[in-house]
Amino acid sequence: MALLETSGLTAFYGDFQALFGVDVAVDAGEIIAIIGANGAGKTTLLRSLSGVLANEADAIRFDGSAIGRLAAPDVMARGIAMVPEGRKLFPSLSVQENLQIGTYGRKADGPWSLESVYELFPILKERRANPSTALSGGQQQMVAIGRALMSNPRVLLCDELSLGLAPVIIRDIYAVMPKLRASGAAIVLVEQDIEQALKVADRVYCMMEGRITLAGTPAELSRDAIHNAYFGVA
Ligand code: ATP
């Protein structure tokens, strides 16, 4: 059994159905990537996994328990943390204070502390007293990842880490993924940058119009198959 899995997951915004029977699974120490064009439903899937959108209890199972009906704070307390799109840092707080926010509601012991986050991202230690607004976009993304790690998550959900960042910065951010995997976390990456997703993920799911259209390891998936699953076949 996977650590976190969905089965027949649906999601609605009012009358609008955004997900249609989505099945995904991730194990401890595994990285999966969800790729797909704008509006495919990737963020909606993460919102469902993090408890922001309520679902049927059984549609999401974590460590053997049905969690689809739990609210976001309860999901977080169980060990599922989110790095949200756009980072959502507290602008008036320092880097260190933003990181410390991540420990609120923390239940689990684990490898992450200010010290180990600073070891992962040494630049954040140098800038720890600065307001988060004084940081570059890439550094802010590091703070958002560090803040999520401070809760010692068993699952890390990451929404579009590469958004708005220069390629060299994206490379630096993604360079830490193998270390996070080695720490035993399960990682779910939502990415529009297909190449980046294929480089780092153990398995990739393509989404289109609220459905998984293709799944497999990067080695199994041809560029043509991904292109078709991503954009549809004309
Ligand atoms: P993006 O890369 O643009 O974030 P996405 O793959 O994450 O795209 P979602 O944001 O999950 O896609 O959106 C899936 C569908 O749900 C889209 O058709 C979108 O317009 C719709 N949608 C998303 N959020 C809402 C909302 N709050 N209310 C109504 N419809 C929404």
Side-chain angles (χ1 to χ4, degrees):
M1 196 201 317
L3 179 62
L4 178 67
E5 65 186 324
T6 68
S7 118
L9 183 73
T10 57
F12 293 85
Y13 296 106
D15 288 339
F16 177 78
Q17 185 164 4
L19 298 182
F20 299 82
V22 167
D23 296 349
V24 297
V26 63
D27 242 317
E30 189 184 33
I31 300 178
I32 64 167
I34 317 285
I35 62 176
N38 275 336
K42 307 179 299 296
T43 296
T44 303
L45 173 57
L46 288 192
R47 283 192 194 130
S48 303
L49 291 173
S50 60
V52 173
L53 289 175
N55 216 280
E56 286 172 28
D58 248 351
I60 308 175
R61 298 190 72 83
F62 175 58
D63 203 13
S65 303
I67 64 159
R69 254 200 264 281
L70 294 185
D74 299 323
V75 171
M76 209 191 295
R78 285 184 185 226
I80 299 178
M82 176 92 139
V83 183
E85 186 173 338
R87 294 138 210 166
K88 310 271 188 329
L89 302 181
F90 292 93
S92 61
L93 299 185
S94 69
V95 166
Q96 184 146 319
E97 287 163 340
N98 267 285
L99 291 174
Q100 282 164 331
I101 296 263
T103 61
Y104 294 136
R106 169 161 88 173
K107 294 245 175 9
D109 289 336
W112 298 106
S113 60
L114 276 177
E115 212 171 293
S116 53
V117 168
Y118 287 149
E119 213 172 290
L120 191 70
F121 297 120
I123 185 71
L124 297 188
K125 187 169 189 182
E126 286 172 34
R127 314 225 42 189
R128 63 188 180 278
N130 293 133
S132 61
T133 44
L135 270 57
S136 69
Q139 291 165 355
Q140 290 186 20
Q141 191 62 278
M142 293 173 193
V143 176
I145 295 170
R147 179 181 58 187
L149 292 175
M150 290 288 283
S151 68
N152 279 319
R154 296 177 68 195
V155 180
L156 189 65
L157 308 173
C158 302
D159 199 356
E160 305 268 8
L161 294 179
S162 65
L163 204 68
L165 301 180
V168 56
I169 309 295
I170 297 172
R171 200 189 58 205
D172 285 353
I173 300 264
Y174 271 95
V176 306
M177 286 298 153
K179 288 186 199 163
L180 304 190
R181 170 171 47 199
S183 79
I187 301 171
V188 180
L189 300 172
V190 154
E191 249 319 325
Q192 282 202 41
D193 183 335
I194 302 179
E195 292 309 319
Q196 194 55 63
L198 290 172
K199 254 186 238 159
V200 75
D202 299 305
R203 286 183 305 111
V204 177
Y205 294 89
C206 295
M207 281 188 86
M208 192 172 54
E209 295 175 0
R211 293 180 171 83
I212 302 292
T213 46
L214 187 71
T217 65
E220 283 166 0
L221 303 181
S222 74
R223 298 301 149 115
D224 278 356
I226 291 173
H227 189 269
N228 290 343
Y230 203 100
F231 297 110
V233 187

